[in-house]
Amino acid sequence: MTALELRLEKAEFLLRQSQLPNPPHGYRTVAPTVEQLGAHYNASPDSVALPTEVLNPAMPQVAPLVYSSGEQTSVPEDATLTRSTERFPPEQGRVSASLLLQDEYTPPNVHTSIENADDLENPYDVSGDFEWDESSARSPTVAPLERAGSEQSDEAELIGDGMATLAVDESQGAYFGVASGAALLRAIDPVAAQHSPRPVRALRAGTRVSSELPMHLSSRRLVTNALVDAYFRHYHISYPILHEPTFRAQYDEVVERPSGPCWNFLAHLVAAIGAFTTGSDKAADNALFSEVKSLMNATYLEHGNLTLVQALVLMSNYLQKKNMPNSGYNYMGLATRMAMGIGLHKEFRKDNTPPFKMEIRRRVWWIMTVFDIGAEITFGRPVLMPAGGFEVALPMNIHDWVSDLLQPVVACR
Amino acid sequence: MEYPSESPELTLYTSIRAYASFYLAVVPIYARMATKPYPSADDLITLDDTIITPWLASIPPCFADSAEIPPKHRLSHSVLQWKYRHFKTLMYRPFVVKGMLQPQQAGVPDLAQSRLAQQRCQHEAQASIEAIEDFWNNNDRTRLGAWYAL
């Protein structure tokens, strides 16, 4: 049996497992052709509403989101939808995809899952922030992650194809968008997806995985209060990629430090940049520079989490400021890929993602993007920003200290 | 939890919004510049007037070039001005170089636009230098400030 046949067989198995009853006239009755839809609703074929992902234009049309007098005093409840409407005013005769689906055959168990194109776009649960961990997939030295739903996880492992096609468990939590096979399986089999394990939790401090990763130095020993203060006084004021109260609470161990050794890496970078900005102690600056470089480990790239994205972005900018622009450029490539792997480029409804988390994600994405494009133009290299497929809003213009967004410090992992 | 209302005042995030909006605006211009053949002076002037000028006008009053900025935000505020002036200098720089190497004669097509491009380049370069000098002379001199300014 060829690999392709094996994969097809697995796909069939999944579909059989998905509780999707056989449609009486095949799938075309659920998803009629564009021409059929147009005729039925007296609309031109190209006026049929498409998922936001498809409609999203290239970058120039994103720009008007920003700054016009008195614009955007608050983020709408569904920012994605609103912005799409701004770019694509309602057209006469435009047909809702959900309406079409209701009018045609609608399997009872499927209807609630795909009645809105957003449901393919928005995952069932973003409580894990799309953070992922594949470090146990290949390395025999790392103990298998503890999994609560063992039956489901075993099955998911068996059908893994490395293409995010058959992964009902979304490859352990990473972001997969509307075009992915995972999104389709999520829609047709939400129960299986919800029961899938979230091994990314294992990255938290004190777990077996984190103990396998290098923790060369105690952050307490090197990251002094003075350097952290210098970072926030000189650097953070221009590039607030961290949420200062959250980081300080983690630093003081008032709240849990997230992502195991990744946080340690981030904390060292904060100290190193703090030392760079003061410029008063060259020896400490250079020692921290060496220390930070030694902390970077290829194993990190088998994970995806917000802490690591923040660290990679800071590493990139730090290297540039330390006159290693090409090295910084490479790190930015890692940061941008990891950022999209955890879906930072996407906007999520507040019923899926609390405003605090969403706002932090926006800040990290846009600060990363500003660094990335700035360096690309500076170096005369192509801008690799996605031409479409992203719609995350700009950070809000708010004072953290008067905002409710400040409150959930303990909620930030 | 609900999203709070946005502030009309300068916040920690005003600069990032401005930087991001600037890059979103100019990336299409940069793509033209980075792809052969280089755009004509006329094309660049049009792109400047239709993209960068409206972007500049869209910056909120609290972060405009002429706004009174608290000391701690002056570097990020100045960096924005340096960014866009530097970008415009880059846009038009080939016409200055070309004008120096090959003085254009009257009657050459696009001559007026080439001269306007040269003037804009020199204007932005001069304004950028003056802005940096002003920043350097009137603010605390930090290493980070020096990295951007010097």
Side-chain angles (χ1 to χ4, degrees), chain A residues 95-310:
Chain A
V95 181
S96 158
S98 60
L99 185 64
L100 294 170
L101 284 169
Q102 286 172 25
D103 203 45
E104 298 290 338
Y105 170 73
T106 50
N109 292 336
V110 176
H111 170 73
T112 53
S113 297
I114 57 174
E115 65 178 349
N116 190 322
D118 247 13
D119 290 327
L120 280 178
E121 182 63 28
N122 288 310
Y124 52 88
D125 174 18
V126 295
S127 59
D129 299 327
F130 305 109
E131 299 186 350
W132 54 270
D133 174 3
E134 294 174 346
S135 62
S136 65
R138 297 181 185 282
S139 171
T141 61
V142 178
L145 300 170
E146 294 176 11
R147 297 181 181 213
S150 58
E151 288 184 15
Q152 291 283 350
S153 63
D154 290 346
E155 185 176 292
E157 272 190 0
L158 284 173
I159 61 169
D161 65 344
M163 298 176 71
T165 302
L166 300 179
V168 178
D169 72 341
E170 309 209 336
S171 199
Q172 306 174 347
Y175 173 83
F176 291 111
V178 68
S180 67
L184 177 63
L185 294 178
R186 179 170 63 224
I188 64 177
D189 193 6
V191 176
Q194 283 168 355
H195 288 166
S196 296
R198 290 289 183 154
V200 68
R201 306 290 188 217
L203 253 182
R204 290 185 172 186
T207 63
R208 299 168 72 179
V209 168
S210 64
S211 67
E212 295 291 325
L213 297 172
M215 295 183 72
H216 292 157
L217 290 168
S218 159
S219 58
R220 278 290 185 186
R221 182 148 52 93
L222 279 179
V223 184
T224 67
N225 288 334
L227 293 178
V228 172
D229 288 346
Y231 170 89
F232 284 107
R233 186 168 59 251
H234 295 299
Y235 187 87
H236 179 80
I237 195 72
S238 290
Y239 300 107
I241 197 169
L242 304 179
H243 185 248
E244 183 175 354
T246 300
F247 180 85
R248 286 187 179 278
Q250 292 160 349
Y251 174 64
D252 292 334
E253 299 187 273
V254 175
V255 300
E256 184 183 7
R257 295 172 177 177
S259 309
C262 303
W263 189 89
N264 198 39
F265 182 43
L266 174 66
H268 277 75
L269 272 162
V270 168
I273 293 173
F276 171 83
T277 57
T278 61
S280 56
D281 186 345
K282 278 212 162 186
D285 183 12
N286 291 332
L288 277 165
F289 180 56
S290 300
E291 194 60 47
V292 161
K293 284 198 294 183
S294 72
L295 281 176
M296 179 61 196
N297 190 300
T299 314
Y300 290 178
L301 302 182
E302 296 173 5
H303 305 88
N305 59 66
L306 188 67
T307 303
L308 199 44
V309 174
Q310 290 167 320

Side-chain angles (χ1 to χ4, degrees), chain A residues 23-47:
Chain A
H25 305 296
Y27 289 113
R28 286 178 66 84
T29 55
V30 183
T33 65
V34 171
E35 289 75 14
Q36 287 173 322
L37 302 180
H40 191 66
Y41 287 91
N42 195 27
S44 63
D46 60 359
S47 69

